[in-house]
Every structure is written in C-alpha cells, then in structure tokens.
Amino acid sequence: MTSEGRHESRAKWNEIHKAHLVKLLGEYNTPAYRSQNGWTKEAWNKMVRDMITKFSNPSITTSQIKALEQELKKTYKLLKGFSELSGFGWDYERHIVSAPDDVWAPLLEVCT
C-alpha cells in the first residue's frame, strides 16, 4: 500500500524493460550512487524517472523497480550457480545455461 492509502499494482515487465533496468544499474554502479546497503535514493529516483520516460509509463514506482531488481538478482544468482557446476556452462548465442544430457540426467531424476 502506498502512503496515499491506495494499493500499488504489481508491474508487468517484459524482456525489454528488464534489459533496460540492467543497463541503468550498470550506469549507476558508481560510488556516487552506491551506499553501504545498495543504491542511493538519488540513484533509485533517477532510474525510475528514466524508466518512466523510456516506456511512457508514469505509473512506474520506486518499489516496483526495486522488486524487479531483486527478481533479476535472484535469476542472476541461480544462473551463475548453474554455470559454475561441473559440466555446466553458458551458451552465449542462445543466452541459456547449457550442459550435455549426461550432466542434466542426475538433476532431472532428483527433481521429478
């Protein structure tokens, strides 16, 4: 719920939105926009303004951008973890984790 007492809707993000936020996070990954605990308020505000301008969507909020950043961070950690396992790698052409069938087989047995 926002401070005005209305419920904030969950944003719907597509790959273009996500890629743009990743670009912005890289641009603002400087000491001027980072604090001990993450991004500064100024950085978040600038990223929100940029997303609003880029996608002509005035309803984008800081909390929605923060939630997307957390989602992207989880996905990154998961993919990084897989790519560091023995036998796994990253397919740069298809942008996915890759491994031969004999590497996937034991994992699929456990998960099914």
Side-chain angles (χ1 to χ4, degrees), residues 13 16-17 19-25 27-28 42-58 60 62 65:
W13 305 110
I16 295 168
H17 293 111
H20 188 66
L21 181 58
V22 168
K23 177 181 156 280
L24 291 175
L25 292 168
E27 287 176 12
Y28 289 103
E42 182 183 6
W44 285 118
N45 289 337
K46 286 183 176 212
M47 286 187 270
V48 168
R49 280 194 303 271
D50 190 286
M51 294 286 283
I52 288 170
T53 302
K54 171 91 173 159
F55 299 109
S56 302
N57 183 351
I60 294 173
T62 302
I65 297 292

Side-chain angles (χ1 to χ4, degrees), residues 22-78:
V22 168
K23 177 181 156 280
L24 291 175
L25 292 168
E27 287 176 12
Y28 289 103
N29 191 20
T30 65
Y33 294 111
R34 297 290 297 201
S35 67
Q36 244 182 338
N37 297 321
W39 308 100
T40 63
K41 186 173 183 170
E42 182 183 6
W44 285 118
N45 289 337
K46 286 183 176 212
M47 286 187 270
V48 168
R49 280 194 303 271
D50 190 286
M51 294 286 283
I52 288 170
T53 302
K54 171 91 173 159
F55 299 109
S56 302
N57 183 351
S59 64
I60 294 173
T61 66
T62 302
S63 61
Q64 290 171 331
I65 297 292
K66 286 180 177 183
L68 178 57
E69 186 245 3
Q70 289 300 307
E71 177 188 323
L72 291 169
K73 197 182 295 185
K74 279 186 197 175
T75 302
Y76 171 79
K77 287 178 181 178
L78 179 68

Side-chain angles (χ1 to χ4, degrees), residues 76-88:
Y76 171 79
K77 287 178 181 178
L78 179 68
L79 293 173
K80 186 174 187 309
F82 263 112
S83 68
E84 291 173 348
L85 291 174
S86 180
F88 282 88

Side-chain angles (χ1 to χ4, degrees), residues 83-102:
S83 68
E84 291 173 348
L85 291 174
S86 180
F88 282 88
W90 183 254
D91 183 330
Y92 287 95
E93 189 174 301
R94 295 175 27 206
H95 304 283
I96 60 172
V97 172
S98 64
D101 290 343
D102 63 318

